[in-house]
Amino acid sequence: MYKYLDELEAKSIYIIREAYNRVDPMCMLWSIGKDSTALLWLVRKAFLGRVPFPLVLLDTGMEMQEVYDFRDNLIKEWDLNCINHMCPPEEDMDQTLPPATRSAMRKTEGLKSLLREHNFKGVIAGIRRDEQGLRAKERVFSPRTIDGNWDFKDQPPEFWDQYKTEFPEGAHLRIHPILHWTELDIWRYTQRENIPCCELYFARKDKKTGKMMRYRSLGEKNITFPVESPASNIEEIIHELETTNTSERAGRSMDKETEDSFERLRAAGYM
Amino acid sequence: MSAEPAIKIVKQDKAKRKQSTGKQQLRVVIVGHVDHGKSTLIGRLLYDTDSLPEGKVEEIEAICKRRGTDVVEWSFVLDAFQAERDQAVTIDSTQIWFSTDNRDYVIIDAPGHREFLKNMISGAAAADAAILVVDGAEGVQEQTRRHAYLLHLLGLQQIAVVINKMDLVNHDTEAFENVSREVREYLGSIGVTPRFIIPISARNGDMIASRGESMGWYSGKTLIEVLDSFENAALPVSRPLRFPVQDVYRFQGKRIIVGRVESGILRKGDRLMFSPGNEEATVTSLEVWPEDDDKVEARPGEAIGITLDQRLFVERGHIGSHTKNPPMLSNVFRASIFWLSQKPLKVGNSYKIRFGSHEAMVTVQSIDKVIDTQDLADQSDKSEVKRNTVAEVTLRARDLLPIDPYSDNERLGRIVMYQGYDIAGGGVISMEGYADQRRRKAPKSENIHKVEHLLNHDVRAKRAGHRGGVFWFTGLSGSGKSTLAMAVEKALFEKGFSTYVLDGDNIRHGLNRDLGFSPKDRSENIRRIGHVAALMADAGLIVLSAFISPYRADRRRARAAAGEKYNELYLAADLDICEKRDPKGLYKKARAGEIKDFTGIDSPYEKPENPEMIIDTARQDVETCVEQIVAYIERQVALGDLSDDGKDKEQVLDYVV
Ligand SMILES: Nc1nc2c(ncn2[C@@H]2O[C@H](COP(=O)(O)OP(=O)(O)OP(=O)(O)O)[C@@H](O)[C@H]2O)c(=O)[nH]1
Ligand SMILES: [Mg+2]
């Protein structure tokens, strides 16, 4: 089924193995969402069932309960090594940022403190180009300065599957093995491979309004909202994506606050 | 206070968004000079095919209003950085998805500004096909040429041209024709034949998804139709197996060698050899997860693991192959490169290179050509290769490297060069003039010793006023080889060049009288001609050879014989046309069964994969073809600066041993 997924999969496995060979120590951000869970599946494929580096949840304490439950189950079932890293409180964030952006900034700061604590040289993250215009311009191996900044105006060249894997002391790499996948690809793959996913993606009747609602993307309680949709299983989600074109990040408030809020976040090191 | 400006959008018939087909994707890069409308084109393509996410148009309209423009800037769909929008220029390439009824596309937007050439290459290197955008009012510009040249260097074969902003030239046919001619001429000179040239207006959506109303005079395909006419590259399954080792894992006592099959097919039970160490072992299993005992073969592109029946010393960078057809081993090779670093590449400098997973240090032995992509002239200053230029260089490594030239293996025949931490350049490998050092064959007779000539080619060339060269015309019977060779010979002769045509008549009657038309004899026929041509070229003549020479292997030998003096000219005219022409009535006879083994009818013609020049004899008249060829030959045989570095001598030696 969907033969073209084999090509995407092979490319991701190649990147993951490349990262493992070149970058040490390394960790993988696992937000428990569909993308990073599919990515986790790909990691297990790359290492024949193993996960040879720690997973990290950047925890704001604001994730939804279903997310925590899903995580705990999978850790048990797949025998995972997962670091739960607490992000600094919102009061510590740049107060000039709009509220949702500020809240998202907590993850950025959390990541910085994680890197400081564990001295990771590389961080694998499950972002995709089709999510957002800025992510579309990312590199697979993306170097970050010591303070985590993304110099997007001067990215290194990257071609023919040859990556820049060395960099000065103190800087680190973001590695993006599923950059070339789309949301639809992820769902088709999740279905084909039978990868577990959090129940929040499936539509449920909202008690107040009686409408069918589901999450397109998972984020913290205060800044992510469900969208109206009747899709209550994977087939229906795939069908919905094939036939409509609402933006995946429609339920994320920080993207909409100002024209450049996402850019400011990402330049400062947000995923 | 002025009223809020209204944003104008010229509407086209809107197609309903096509569902993703779930078939194999095609990656298309959009390139061209800065501001010629690449991003606009993509934005508009997505708009007209209803592929933008809901709310995107409103968002862009609002941004345009706030920024005070009164037309929609479709480029904002792609140009997501604030800096890009502020300066109205694309900085980095981006990728975006859309579908037609036929298939799913990944469209890659490349920046046109010279400053961001590295980003253009990062985008273009991932593509299967390219659209070159040229502003109809400005015509061909600096980056139009440079991008076209790089597409060619990157190995992109499927290229179409759009002449954009037709609204600025009143949708005029003549303006279109003029710019088309200009583009075609440049592309022709680098051996590229554009598949299509389409007049469009990206801003208004004319000839993109629908035809629009302004250019009724154009009857060709729209951009979408052109995209649908491109083909996905076939997997190199029938090429020799290459399995570069990416890593070696030790899991539960098992030693698993992981990597990606780059070409050929790897099967359980295969005997593999790992270069450059040349140790051999047999594949005992293919390792995938979840476990699958039925997994017994892996095809190009697959990332797999294998176990072997013996513990060999195998590490990252080694290249697995079958015992037959392994990669060449060489410590020296040539490469056509592009250079991206601020610090120029210099003779004598050392760089780290990578191809596949193989890494090595090489030293630049010589810079053989520095090409000005604007006029294709060979620059006289060959001491260094500056940023954003292309060149041909000879690189030497300390140890033997497992090498595949690009003409044999597109995936492994290309290198990336590093300077410090950074990727500084890249290019494709050529082994022309260099022998495989894996098996140095003993000369047939021990008594033949190479006699050192007291004169070399450079001295002879100086006397003659031009260099010698072999210009190998290849193509089907009726494609125009003899006609063109004779006409080119005459034109060159009249310009004062020493030149000679080798063709069936003067070869079959004498030197090769003993040969018939069996495959073996045909092959021998071409082998001899290749060597005669090489000798004549070394003596200083411009040799034009006009033989069908249908087999790649034969032409490769002719190329090896003449080294860098060899130029392959492919006369591209397909069978239909040649058969219609049938100047000697041979096709008719072949169809009637009166002639056996006739190329194109019951004997194959293997198209050149990497000819120096493609001449479109189907669509161009003889005069145009002759002009193109003569211009090309003149450039190749020009004296330039004759080096005294003994390069020619070394190549001859490398070949003879
Ligand atoms: N009149 C007219 N203007 C156009 C057309 N297509 C693009 N433009 C304008 O040309 C300008 C440059 O367009 P872009 O799409 O940004 O050009 P680009 O080729 O992507 O430029 P870089 O990415 O910076 O190299 C913009 O102001 C467009 O609105 C067209 O068909 N007609
Ligand atoms: Mg642009």
Side-chain angles (χ1 to χ4, degrees):
Chain A
M1 203 176 29
Y2 293 127
K3 241 191 105 36
Y4 82 102
L5 293 175
D6 295 343
E7 214 179 295
L8 305 187
E9 175 189 72
K11 186 171 167 131
S12 299
I13 292 176
Y14 185 83
I15 295 165
I16 292 163
R17 286 177 173 168
E18 203 64 6
Y20 181 59
N21 182 279
R22 311 304 288 182
V23 190
D24 182 47
M26 184 172 66
C27 67
M28 176 183 138
L29 299 181
W30 181 35
S31 72
I32 332 292
K34 63 184 188 312
D35 299 313
S36 55
T37 305
L39 175 56
L40 180 54
W41 184 260
L42 287 161
V43 168
R44 296 174 85 211
K45 283 210 172 196
F47 305 108
L48 306 159
R50 293 156 188 77
V51 183
F53 35 74
L55 305 173
V56 174
L57 170 63
L58 294 174
D59 196 351
T60 53
M62 297 292 285
E63 304 293 347
M64 286 167 279
Q65 192 52 45
E66 290 86 342
V67 169
Y68 291 118
D69 293 345
F70 178 78
R71 175 196 63 180
D72 294 341
N73 279 336
L74 216 55
I75 286 179
K76 230 183 278 149
E77 198 176 321
W78 286 0
D79 189 19
L80 302 169
N81 165 17
C82 183
I83 302 171
N84 203 71
H85 187 81
M86 283 314 287
C87 299
E90 196 174 329
E91 303 85 76
D92 292 4
M93 299 300 114
D94 178 353
Q95 296 299 317
T96 70
L97 291 169
T101 309
R102 198 185 321 143
S103 171
M105 201 60 146
R106 291 183 61 202
K107 293 231 169 192
T108 312
E109 291 306 322
L111 181 58
K112 279 185 198 166
S113 67
L114 173 87
L115 291 170
R116 270 195 306 273
E117 239 168 76
H118 296 263
N119 206 13
F120 289 124
K121 295 255 180 305
V123 180
I124 296 186
I127 64 163
R128 307 187 325 265
R129 286 193 201 280
D130 76 321
E131 282 176 87
Q132 215 276 341
L134 295 170
R135 286 183 173 167
K137 291 182 183 266
E138 264 287 1
R139 294 288 188 265
V140 177
F141 281 64
S142 180
R144 299 301 150 113
T145 58
I146 296 178
D147 29 357
N149 291 350
W150 180 36
D151 186 4
F152 53 81
K153 280 184 213 153
D154 188 21
Q155 298 198 74
E158 184 174 82
F159 47 89
W160 296 338
D161 298 340
Q162 300 292 2
Y163 307 107
K164 170 174 169 166
T165 51
E166 287 166 34
F167 43 87
E169 198 53 38
H172 77 276
L173 275 174
R174 297 281 176 83
I175 300 134
H176 305 132
I178 57 166
L179 203 54
H180 56 290
W181 295 61
T182 65
E183 184 187 15
L184 181 56
D185 298 333
I186 292 286
W187 280 118
R188 283 173 172 168
Y189 189 68
T190 302
Q191 180 190 39
R192 184 180 93 165
E193 304 282 313
N194 211 358
I195 305 169
C197 67
C198 182
E199 64 196 270
L200 289 170
Y201 287 110
F202 305 126
R204 284 186 299 199
K205 201 176 245 150
D206 185 276
K207 287 194 197 90
K208 271 185 247 146
T209 60
K211 285 183 183 152
M212 292 296 278
M213 307 288 279
R214 73 178 195 91
Y215 284 87
R216 269 292 274 283
S217 90
L218 298 184
E220 293 79 0
K221 276 186 245 179
N222 49 340
I223 54 169
T224 319
F225 304 96
V227 293
E228 210 182 319
S229 157
S232 59
N233 58 39
I234 295 197
E235 287 87 80
E236 288 172 13
I237 290 178
I238 291 173
H239 180 73
E240 176 182 284
L241 293 177
E242 283 174 343
T243 47
T244 60
N245 40 5
T246 22
S247 159
E248 180 179 6
R249 297 181 67 86
R252 297 246 185 184
S253 28
M254 68 205 188
D255 291 18
K256 299 188 205 106
E257 286 177 326
T258 65
E259 185 185 335
D260 67 349
S261 43
F262 199 57
E263 178 167 323
R264 286 177 69 187
L265 268 173
R266 284 197 52 86
Y270 185 75
M271 281 62 70
Chain B
M1 285 280 289
S2 60
E4 279 210 341
I7 304 269
K8 285 185 294 241
I9 300 182
V10 176
K11 298 279 182 194
Q12 298 281 355
D13 309 334
K14 243 179 137 176
K16 213 175 133 34
R17 186 172 80 116
K18 305 293 184 217
Q19 288 187 21
S20 153
T21 60
K23 291 191 216 154
Q24 195 186 6
Q25 300 173 331
L26 189 85
R27 291 173 295 263
V28 183
V29 67
I30 316 293
V31 300
H33 194 71
V34 65
D35 258 4
H36 280 195
K38 298 175 291 298
S39 306
T40 307
L41 164 71
I42 302 171
R44 184 74 208 207
L45 175 71
L46 295 175
Y47 173 68
D48 284 342
T49 53
D50 195 22
S51 314
L52 293 172
E54 245 168 49
K56 194 73 189 178
V57 178
E58 293 71 22
E59 181 192 326
I60 300 281
E61 277 177 335
I63 295 169
C64 290
K65 255 187 207 163
R66 194 167 54 240
R67 287 169 177 267
T69 60
D70 61 350
V71 289
V72 165
E73 279 298 354
W74 295 108
S75 55
F76 287 1
V77 173
L78 293 306
D79 294 342
F81 293 144
Q82 294 303 305
E84 292 180 316
R85 291 177 182 175
D86 293 343
Q87 292 159 34
V89 48
T90 303
I91 293 175
D92 215 324
S93 60
T94 186
Q95 301 187 6
I96 201 154
W97 284 253
F98 98 106
S99 306
T100 65
D101 283 330
N102 286 0
R103 72 171 146 227
D104 300 343
Y105 289 92
V106 181
I107 304 287
I108 306 167
D109 183 29
H113 197 286
R114 185 177 209 280
E115 217 28 55
F116 308 125
L117 195 73
K118 64 174 168 40
N119 299 338
M120 175 269 177
I121 288 174
S122 303
D128 304 305
I131 304 289
L132 178 63
V133 180
V134 187
D135 185 320
E138 282 192 13
V140 171
Q141 296 292 318
E142 187 183 339
Q143 305 312 316
T144 319
R145 297 193 191 93
R146 184 171 279 115
H147 284 191
Y149 196 97
L150 283 165
L151 291 180
H152 186 52
L153 209 166
L154 293 170
L156 270 109
Q157 309 269 347
Q158 312 191 77
I159 301 174
V161 175
V162 296
I163 311 293
N164 186 27
K165 307 197 189 177
M166 286 303 293
D167 54 310
L168 294 185
V169 294
N170 299 320
H171 306 103
D172 180 35
T173 35
E174 207 169 313
F176 171 68
E177 291 300 337
N178 287 340
V179 180
S180 300
R181 193 169 325 113
E182 209 185 350
V183 183
R184 214 190 284 273
E185 256 168 37
Y186 181 80
L187 292 180
S189 69
I190 56 173
V192 172
T193 317
R195 297 280 170 98
F196 302 94
I197 303 188
I198 322 160
I200 66 162
S201 170
R203 182 180 282 172
N204 300 339
D206 293 331
M207 292 299 165
I208 294 183
S210 49
R211 307 193 67 83
E213 265 149 29
S214 52
M215 288 179 288
W217 47 266
Y218 171 77
S219 57
K221 292 187 193 310
T222 60
L223 180 64
I224 289 239
E225 289 163 352
V226 165
L227 292 179
D228 275 343
S229 78
F230 287 142
E231 283 153 25
N232 284 99
L235 283 185
V237 277
S238 54
R239 297 262 161 168
L241 171 71
R242 293 293 180 268
F243 178 66
V245 175
Q246 193 178 8
D247 212 336
V248 180
Y249 301 147
R250 278 167 205 84
F251 290 148
Q252 290 168 343
K254 259 197 209 164
R255 197 156 165 273
I256 300 167
I257 298 166
V258 300
R260 179 168 62 189
V261 177
E262 299 291 1
S263 59
I265 298 179
L266 192 157
R267 293 191 174 88
K268 184 174 168 181
D270 279 357
R271 186 86 183 153
L272 293 192
M273 172 164 138
F274 291 87
S275 300
N278 300 339
E279 285 188 273
E280 293 178 22
T282 301
V283 178
T284 41
S285 68
L286 266 61
E287 300 284 331
V288 291
W289 184 87
E291 267 171 51
D292 181 2
D293 287 339
D294 294 336
K295 182 79 187 162
V296 290
E297 71 167 42
R299 299 160 73 82
E302 282 189 56
I304 49 149
I306 57 170
T307 55
L308 299 174
D309 66 341
Q310 282 167 60
R311 255 198 88 92
L312 302 185
F313 170 66
V314 172
E315 62 177 1
R316 180 178 165 89
H318 288 183
I319 295 183
S321 67
H322 290 131
T323 49
K324 242 195 216 158
N325 292 320
M328 293 185 189
L329 289 180
S330 180
N331 58 356
V332 58
F333 61 92
R334 305 185 65 183
S336 299
I337 60 157
F338 47 85
W339 192 249
L340 302 171
S341 165
Q342 293 284 3
K343 271 197 218 144
L345 170 138
K346 291 194 167 132
V347 173
N349 280 4
S350 293
Y351 300 96
K352 185 172 85 183
I353 62 160
R354 275 181 69 181
F355 51 95
S357 54
H358 198 93
E359 213 170 273
M361 284 304 288
V362 296
T363 304
V364 180
Q365 174 174 310
S366 61
I367 297 173
D368 307 320
K369 239 186 199 176
V370 179
I371 300 146
D372 182 340
T373 50
Q374 298 311 302
D375 59 7
L376 302 181
D378 184 7
Q379 303 295 89
S380 50
D381 178 10
K382 293 204 191 52
S383 57
E384 59 179 36
V385 181
K386 294 199 182 65
R387 177 163 179 250
N388 293 350
T389 46
V390 294
E392 283 171 24
V393 296
T394 303
L395 303 174
R396 191 172 279 276
R398 204 167 305 147
D399 307 309
L400 290 180
L401 309 178
I403 287 185
D404 281 300
Y406 183 75
S407 54
D408 288 351
N409 194 307
E410 287 178 13
R411 299 196 55 93
L412 292 178
R414 52 197 192 187
I415 55 165
V416 164
M417 305 178 75
Y418 289 79
Q419 189 171 57
Y421 299 125
D422 299 313
I423 292 180
V428 298
I429 297 175
S430 150
M431 285 300 290
E432 269 172 58
Y434 293 110
D436 187 356
Q437 297 172 39
R438 183 186 292 278
R439 287 160 288 184
R440 281 176 183 265
K441 280 199 204 91
K444 270 224 163 104
S445 161
E446 293 288 312
N447 295 325
I448 297 177
H449 294 288
K450 192 173 152 42
V451 182
E452 275 294 329
H453 283 269
L454 299 175
L455 299 175
N456 68 12
H457 183 73
D458 284 2
V459 182
R460 291 181 214 273
K462 247 180 217 153
R463 162 88 57 91
H466 63 84
R467 293 171 180 274
V470 174
F471 296 87
W472 192 276
F473 293 53
T474 175
L476 292 169
S477 173
S479 60
K481 292 181 300 296
S482 294
T483 313
L484 287 180
M486 298 302 172
V488 168
E489 182 187 37
K490 182 154 176 288
L492 287 173
F493 185 80
E494 280 165 2
K495 289 186 164 201
F497 291 93
S498 307
T499 172
Y500 194 79
V501 173
L502 294 176
D503 86 347
D505 284 341
N506 54 26
I507 293 289
R508 282 268 180 198
H509 294 158
L511 177 65
N512 290 354
R513 197 164 47 192
D514 57 326
L515 300 178
F517 289 88
S518 68
K520 209 173 132 215
D521 279 6
R522 281 184 174 212
S523 204
E524 174 61 13
N525 183 40
I526 298 298
R527 189 188 72 82
R528 291 185 196 171
I529 293 162
H531 279 276
V532 169
L535 287 173
M536 291 171 78
D538 193 44
L541 285 175
I542 298 171
V543 187
L544 311 169
S545 81
F547 299 87
I548 299 176
S549 45
Y551 301 115
R552 268 179 213 136
D554 291 344
R555 294 194 300 261
R556 206 173 298 141
R557 279 200 293 181
R559 184 184 285 276
E564 64 167 8
K565 292 197 197 74
Y566 180 91
N567 297 269
E568 200 157 283
L569 281 59
Y570 172 42
L571 307 199
D574 48 28
L575 186 60
D576 276 0
I577 292 174
C578 294
E579 193 165 355
K580 243 175 247 148
R581 287 182 187 155
D582 206 9
K584 301 178 204 155
L586 296 173
Y587 283 99
K588 210 180 261 160
K589 286 190 186 161
R591 289 279 184 210
E594 293 166 37
I595 309 179
K596 281 252 165 305
D597 295 334
F598 194 77
T599 303
I601 305 296
D602 51 354
S603 177
Y605 178 78
E606 298 174 358
K607 279 189 197 165
E609 290 181 320
N610 228 347
E612 271 71 15
M613 193 176 183
I614 300 176
I615 302 110
D616 187 357
T617 66
R619 249 161 293 168
Q620 298 184 138
D621 55 12
V622 174
E623 231 165 77
T624 315
C625 296
V626 171
E627 252 170 53
Q628 278 176 6
I629 298 172
V630 169
Y632 173 76
I633 293 181
E634 280 190 82
R635 274 199 308 276
Q636 298 307 310
V637 300
L639 286 181
D641 70 332
L642 293 172
S643 52
D644 300 314
D645 62 2
K647 198 186 77 224
D648 277 1
K649 210 166 31 178
E650 177 183 306
Q651 282 198 358
V652 172
L653 282 174
D654 266 351
Y655 168 65
V656 168
V657 285

